[in-house]
Amino acid sequence: MMTDEQDSERSRTIRYQVPGRDKRTLFARSGLEQLRAVAAGEAPAPPISSHIGLEFVTVTEGDVVMTAVPDESHYNPIGSVHGGFFATVLDSACGCAVHTTLPVGVGYTSLEIKVSFLRPITADTGPVTAHGWVTRTGRSAVFAEADLRDSQGRVLATASSTCLVVRPDPAP
């Protein structure tokens, strides 16, 4: 027999804008300029932001602070927020910190991320804050770290990441 809590169906509508398909337009600004435009509402946020309530708080070179809002739609079978939520927020914080260091026309992609889960998150946790910062920059790879905290400043998870710098192909 199902309890009222088990059979109370909920829904969530996600609205987002599809990023531009023209890479020249997307990469016409430096990474820092791109993310500052998103933070200021002058450019659309990446679609993943809509899924987790991800928003920028601050964007400076090599350093970003973001917030996200966990809810029941992020739960795993044991009634807490799925590790994928943690990983997505931390990957975003690391990747965006890296992105702020890139010049016009240069991109990145995550090569690897290691996440350490330190405390559980539930819908009752409320908004969480991720801080991502670059620890080392190289020509082909950039290294970053991030932490995820609750409103009392308790560390919920940490991450370290390596991102591959993607440069445009030279003209033939």
Side-chain angles (χ1 to χ4, degrees), residues 124-153:
D124 294 332
T125 300
V128 294
T129 302
H131 177 205
W133 62 94
V134 171
T135 58
R136 183 174 181 278
T137 302
R139 177 160 168 73
S140 59
V142 180
F143 303 87
E145 294 182 2
D147 62 31
L148 185 64
R149 295 174 184 260
D150 66 13
S151 62
Q152 280 92 43

Short mmCIF file of all heavy atoms in Angstrom, two decimals, residues 124-153:
data_model
loop_
_atom_site.label_atom_id
_atom_site.label_comp_id
_atom_site.label_asym_id
_atom_site.label_seq_id
_atom_site.Cartn_x
_atom_site.Cartn_y
_atom_site.Cartn_z
N ASP A 124 15.57 20.23 2.03
CA ASP A 124 15.59 21.10 3.21
C ASP A 124 16.91 21.85 3.37
O ASP A 124 16.98 22.81 4.15
CB ASP A 124 15.31 20.29 4.47
CG ASP A 124 13.90 19.73 4.50
OD1 ASP A 124 13.00 20.34 3.87
OD2 ASP A 124 13.70 18.67 5.13
N THR A 125 17.96 21.41 2.67
CA THR A 125 19.26 22.08 2.77
C THR A 125 19.15 23.53 2.29
O THR A 125 19.82 24.41 2.80
CB THR A 125 20.33 21.33 1.94
OG1 THR A 125 20.44 19.99 2.45
CG2 THR A 125 21.68 22.01 2.00
N GLY A 126 18.30 23.76 1.29
CA GLY A 126 18.17 25.10 0.72
C GLY A 126 19.27 25.36 -0.29
O GLY A 126 20.02 24.45 -0.67
N PRO A 127 19.38 26.58 -0.76
CA PRO A 127 20.38 26.91 -1.77
C PRO A 127 21.79 26.54 -1.30
O PRO A 127 22.11 26.67 -0.12
CB PRO A 127 20.25 28.42 -1.96
CG PRO A 127 18.87 28.73 -1.48
CD PRO A 127 18.58 27.75 -0.38
N VAL A 128 22.59 26.09 -2.24
CA VAL A 128 23.99 25.76 -1.96
C VAL A 128 24.87 26.68 -2.81
O VAL A 128 24.45 27.16 -3.86
CB VAL A 128 24.29 24.27 -2.24
CG1 VAL A 128 23.53 23.38 -1.27
CG2 VAL A 128 23.97 23.89 -3.67
N THR A 129 26.07 26.91 -2.33
CA THR A 129 27.00 27.80 -3.01
C THR A 129 28.26 27.04 -3.40
O THR A 129 28.87 26.37 -2.56
CB THR A 129 27.38 28.99 -2.11
OG1 THR A 129 26.18 29.68 -1.75
CG2 THR A 129 28.34 29.94 -2.80
N ALA A 130 28.63 27.16 -4.67
CA ALA A 130 29.85 26.54 -5.17
C ALA A 130 30.86 27.63 -5.48
O ALA A 130 30.53 28.64 -6.11
CB ALA A 130 29.55 25.74 -6.43
N HIS A 131 32.08 27.41 -5.04
CA HIS A 131 33.18 28.32 -5.34
C HIS A 131 34.20 27.52 -6.14
O HIS A 131 34.63 26.46 -5.70
CB HIS A 131 33.80 28.84 -4.03
CG HIS A 131 34.98 29.72 -4.24
ND1 HIS A 131 35.95 29.88 -3.28
CD2 HIS A 131 35.37 30.50 -5.29
CE1 HIS A 131 36.87 30.71 -3.72
NE2 HIS A 131 36.54 31.10 -4.94
N GLY A 132 34.53 28.01 -7.34
CA GLY A 132 35.52 27.34 -8.18
C GLY A 132 36.67 28.28 -8.48
O GLY A 132 36.46 29.48 -8.69
N TRP A 133 37.89 27.74 -8.47
CA TRP A 133 39.06 28.56 -8.73
C TRP A 133 40.12 27.76 -9.48
O TRP A 133 40.22 26.54 -9.33
CB TRP A 133 39.63 29.13 -7.43
CG TRP A 133 40.09 28.09 -6.45
CD1 TRP A 133 41.35 27.59 -6.30
CD2 TRP A 133 39.28 27.40 -5.47
NE1 TRP A 133 41.38 26.64 -5.30
CE2 TRP A 133 40.13 26.51 -4.78
CE3 TRP A 133 37.93 27.46 -5.13
CZ2 TRP A 133 39.67 25.67 -3.76
CZ3 TRP A 133 37.47 26.62 -4.12
CH2 TRP A 133 38.33 25.75 -3.44
N VAL A 134 40.88 28.46 -10.30
CA VAL A 134 41.96 27.85 -11.08
C VAL A 134 43.18 27.72 -10.18
O VAL A 134 43.55 28.67 -9.48
CB VAL A 134 42.27 28.69 -12.33
CG1 VAL A 134 43.54 28.21 -13.02
CG2 VAL A 134 41.09 28.66 -13.29
N THR A 135 43.81 26.54 -10.21
CA THR A 135 45.01 26.32 -9.41
C THR A 135 46.28 26.34 -10.24
O THR A 135 47.35 26.63 -9.73
CB THR A 135 44.93 24.99 -8.64
OG1 THR A 135 44.75 23.92 -9.58
CG2 THR A 135 43.79 25.02 -7.64
N ARG A 136 46.17 26.00 -11.53
CA ARG A 136 47.34 26.02 -12.42
C ARG A 136 46.86 26.10 -13.86
O ARG A 136 45.94 25.40 -14.25
CB ARG A 136 48.18 24.76 -12.23
CG ARG A 136 49.45 24.77 -13.07
CD ARG A 136 50.33 23.57 -12.73
NE ARG A 136 51.53 23.60 -13.52
CZ ARG A 136 51.62 23.15 -14.77
NH1 ARG A 136 50.56 22.65 -15.38
NH2 ARG A 136 52.76 23.19 -15.42
N THR A 137 47.53 26.96 -14.61
CA THR A 137 47.19 27.12 -16.02
C THR A 137 48.36 26.67 -16.87
O THR A 137 49.50 27.07 -16.61
CB THR A 137 46.89 28.61 -16.33
OG1 THR A 137 45.82 29.03 -15.49
CG2 THR A 137 46.49 28.81 -17.77
N GLY A 138 48.07 25.86 -17.88
CA GLY A 138 49.07 25.43 -18.85
C GLY A 138 48.57 25.71 -20.25
O GLY A 138 47.43 26.15 -20.44
N ARG A 139 49.40 25.45 -21.24
CA ARG A 139 48.99 25.72 -22.62
C ARG A 139 47.87 24.78 -23.08
O ARG A 139 46.95 25.19 -23.77
CB ARG A 139 50.19 25.58 -23.56
CG ARG A 139 49.81 25.77 -25.01
CD ARG A 139 50.96 26.13 -25.91
NE ARG A 139 50.59 26.02 -27.30
CZ ARG A 139 49.80 26.86 -27.95
NH1 ARG A 139 49.27 27.87 -27.31
NH2 ARG A 139 49.51 26.69 -29.22
N SER A 140 47.92 23.52 -22.67
CA SER A 140 46.92 22.56 -23.15
C SER A 140 45.98 22.04 -22.07
O SER A 140 44.99 21.40 -22.38
CB SER A 140 47.62 21.37 -23.81
OG SER A 140 48.48 20.74 -22.89
N ALA A 141 46.29 22.34 -20.81
CA ALA A 141 45.41 21.90 -19.72
C ALA A 141 45.40 22.96 -18.62
O ALA A 141 46.38 23.65 -18.40
CB ALA A 141 45.87 20.56 -19.15
N VAL A 142 44.24 23.06 -17.97
CA VAL A 142 44.09 23.97 -16.84
C VAL A 142 43.49 23.16 -15.69
O VAL A 142 42.59 22.34 -15.90
CB VAL A 142 43.17 25.17 -17.20
CG1 VAL A 142 43.03 26.11 -16.00
CG2 VAL A 142 43.71 25.93 -18.41
N PHE A 143 43.99 23.39 -14.49
CA PHE A 143 43.57 22.65 -13.32
C PHE A 143 42.77 23.56 -12.40
O PHE A 143 43.11 24.73 -12.22
CB PHE A 143 44.80 22.10 -12.58
CG PHE A 143 45.64 21.22 -13.46
CD1 PHE A 143 46.63 21.78 -14.27
CD2 PHE A 143 45.41 19.86 -13.52
CE1 PHE A 143 47.39 20.98 -15.10
CE2 PHE A 143 46.16 19.05 -14.36
CZ PHE A 143 47.16 19.61 -15.16
N ALA A 144 41.69 23.02 -11.84
CA ALA A 144 40.81 23.83 -10.99
C ALA A 144 40.32 23.00 -9.81
O ALA A 144 40.33 21.75 -9.85
CB ALA A 144 39.62 24.34 -11.80
N GLU A 145 39.88 23.70 -8.78
CA GLU A 145 39.27 23.07 -7.62
C GLU A 145 37.97 23.82 -7.31
O GLU A 145 37.78 24.96 -7.74
CB GLU A 145 40.21 23.12 -6.42
CG GLU A 145 41.46 22.28 -6.62
CD GLU A 145 42.38 22.28 -5.42
OE1 GLU A 145 42.06 22.90 -4.38
OE2 GLU A 145 43.45 21.64 -5.52
N ALA A 146 37.12 23.16 -6.54
CA ALA A 146 35.87 23.79 -6.13
C ALA A 146 35.39 23.18 -4.83
O ALA A 146 35.76 22.04 -4.48
CB ALA A 146 34.80 23.61 -7.21
N ASP A 147 34.57 23.95 -4.10
CA ASP A 147 33.88 23.38 -2.95
C ASP A 147 32.42 23.79 -3.02
O ASP A 147 32.05 24.75 -3.70
CB ASP A 147 34.53 23.74 -1.62
CG ASP A 147 34.55 25.23 -1.30
OD1 ASP A 147 33.63 25.97 -1.72
OD2 ASP A 147 35.49 25.67 -0.62
N LEU A 148 31.59 23.03 -2.36
CA LEU A 148 30.15 23.24 -2.32
C LEU A 148 29.75 23.37 -0.86
O LEU A 148 30.08 22.50 -0.05
CB LEU A 148 29.43 22.05 -2.97
CG LEU A 148 27.93 22.14 -3.15
CD1 LEU A 148 27.57 23.28 -4.11
CD2 LEU A 148 27.39 20.81 -3.69
N ARG A 149 29.05 24.47 -0.52
CA ARG A 149 28.72 24.76 0.88
C ARG A 149 27.24 25.04 1.06
O ARG A 149 26.57 25.52 0.14
CB ARG A 149 29.51 25.96 1.37
CG ARG A 149 31.01 25.71 1.40
CD ARG A 149 31.78 26.97 1.77
NE ARG A 149 33.21 26.73 1.71
CZ ARG A 149 33.98 26.49 2.75
NH1 ARG A 149 33.46 26.49 3.97
NH2 ARG A 149 35.27 26.26 2.61
N ASP A 150 26.75 24.78 2.26
CA ASP A 150 25.36 25.13 2.59
C ASP A 150 25.32 26.56 3.11
O ASP A 150 26.36 27.25 3.17
CB ASP A 150 24.75 24.13 3.58
CG ASP A 150 25.40 24.13 4.96
OD1 ASP A 150 26.18 25.06 5.29
OD2 ASP A 150 25.11 23.19 5.73
N SER A 151 24.15 27.04 3.51
CA SER A 151 24.00 28.44 3.93
C SER A 151 24.73 28.76 5.23
O SER A 151 24.99 29.92 5.52
CB SER A 151 22.52 28.80 4.06
OG SER A 151 21.92 28.00 5.07
N GLN A 152 25.10 27.73 6.00
CA GLN A 152 25.89 27.95 7.22
C GLN A 152 27.39 27.88 6.96
O GLN A 152 28.18 27.98 7.88
CB GLN A 152 25.52 26.93 8.31
CG GLN A 152 24.25 27.28 9.06
CD GLN A 152 23.04 26.63 8.41
OE1 GLN A 152 23.08 25.48 8.01
NE2 GLN A 152 21.97 27.39 8.27
N GLY A 153 27.76 27.68 5.70
CA GLY A 153 29.18 27.62 5.35
C GLY A 153 29.80 26.24 5.51
O GLY A 153 31.01 26.09 5.33
#
